[in-house]
Structure formats: structure tokens, C-alpha cells
Amino acid sequence: MLNENIKTIRKSKGLSQEELAIKLSVVRQTISKWEQGLSVPDADMLISISEVFEIPVSTLLGETVVERKADDLRVIAEKLEVINLQLAHEKAVRQKVIHWFFVLLCVIIAAVFAILKALNSPYLGWDYSHPETAAAGVLFHAFEWLFIRIAPFALIGAIVGACFTRKKV
């Protein structure tokens, strides 16, 4: 029984006799003798085997371990389906976040354009002779100059991005 369990569990874990021997620091022939029932591992080695197989010692010593059946494959398929659904949900959430980022970017650009229009571009008539207002004027002028040149491209990109990331019905 022990010999059959060692062999069955080793194969189910995808280990060769050589790989198991390396993990247990024994020679391959020792594994072969255990699996043929010609010898048995001592108590310390049983503990080492159970640690390598990640099973309790009682399972090694207990009833015969059966190999995987079609039901096990069905369980694995169900788990993979759940994982697949979780990944699809994460992708949908990520796409939704990106879509709303692009929509928000469009709104912000439009709002800044509206504010600049309402202010009638004061930087062209700004009085730079007063040191207190000169720094603010330079900063406002630099912002508006940069915004006016970059914003149209950013707006077009945001509109295109929002269109491509919207949810298809």
C-alpha cells in the first residue's frame, strides 16, 4: 500500500524518480525500491516524503491513493472558468476606468477653454510694470500659451480614446 501510494502521488505531482530522489537527498534506486515494495522508508524519511508531496504522513500510510479521474478534470475546468470570468471582469472594469478618464479629460479641457474665454485672455493686456503682478502674469501667460497649443491635440486624443473604450452593446 505504501509503495503504491508513493508511486501514485509522485506521478500525480509530475515528478520522476530521479527528481524525487534529488528532493529527498537519496539515490534513484532507493525510490525504485520503495515503489516496488522491496524496502520501506524510515520514519524521518516518511516525514520528508510527506513534506515534498505536501500531504500528511497518514495519507502515505493510509488507503490506496487513486489517480485523477474525469471528475477532477471537470473541477479543474470549473476553476479555470471562474478565473476566466474574473479576468474578463477585471478587463471590463479597467476599460470602464480608462473610458471615464478620457471623458473627464474632455470635460476638463472644455472647462478650461470656457474659463479662458470668459477671462478674455487677460495676459495680452497684463501690466508687467508692477513686480507683484508680473510674476503672476508670466505664470498665467505661460499656462495659457502652453494650454492653447497642446489642448486641441489632447482633446482630439481624449475624444478618440473615449470612443474606442466605450462599452460595445
Side-chain angles (χ1 to χ4, degrees):
M1 194 177 322
L2 174 62
N3 59 336
E4 295 169 1
N5 287 348
I6 291 174
K7 185 176 185 177
T8 304
I9 295 169
R10 176 184 59 79
K11 287 184 176 182
S12 73
K13 297 286 185 179
L15 295 172
S16 68
Q17 286 183 347
E18 184 68 31
E19 292 169 329
L20 180 58
I22 291 170
K23 289 182 182 234
L24 296 173
S25 300
V26 297
V27 295
R28 186 200 59 76
Q29 289 79 3
T30 303
I31 305 295
S32 177
K33 286 180 182 178
W34 292 342
E35 290 181 356
Q36 292 174 17
L38 300 176
S39 69
V40 293
D42 63 9
D44 289 334
M45 190 54 68
L46 280 174
I47 293 171
S48 297
I49 294 169
S50 70
E51 289 172 353
V52 168
F53 287 158
E54 298 174 339
I55 60 168
V57 174
S58 59
T59 303
L60 280 174
L61 299 173
E63 296 182 13
T64 305
V65 178
V66 294
E67 294 187 41
R68 292 187 176 230
K69 302 234 184 300
D71 288 341
D72 292 339
L73 294 176
R74 183 181 51 79
V75 169
I76 291 171
E78 289 173 358
K79 287 180 181 178
L80 288 174
E81 185 177 346
V82 168
I83 292 170
N84 209 9
L85 289 173
Q86 289 172 342
L87 290 173
H89 176 71
E90 288 176 11
K91 182 180 178 185
V93 168
R94 190 171 37 250
Q95 182 178 1
K96 192 175 190 178
V97 167
I98 292 170
H99 172 76
W100 285 109
F101 168 77
F102 284 131
V103 170
L104 181 64
L105 185 60
C106 290
V107 170
I108 290 172
I109 291 171
V112 171
F113 267 122
I115 290 169
L116 291 176
K117 178 70 175 159
L119 294 176
N120 291 322
S121 296
Y123 76 86
L124 292 177
W126 201 277
D127 183 11
Y128 291 101
S129 62
H130 300 291
E132 298 86 25
T133 59
V138 168
L139 288 176
F140 188 75
H141 178 76
F143 167 76
E144 188 171 6
W145 182 87
L146 189 62
F147 182 80
I148 295 296
R149 275 138 187 89
I150 293 175
F153 299 110
L155 182 63
I156 291 169
I159 291 170
V160 169
C163 290
F164 279 125
T165 57
R166 79 184 194 301
K167 187 175 180 180
K168 313 300 192 262
V169 180

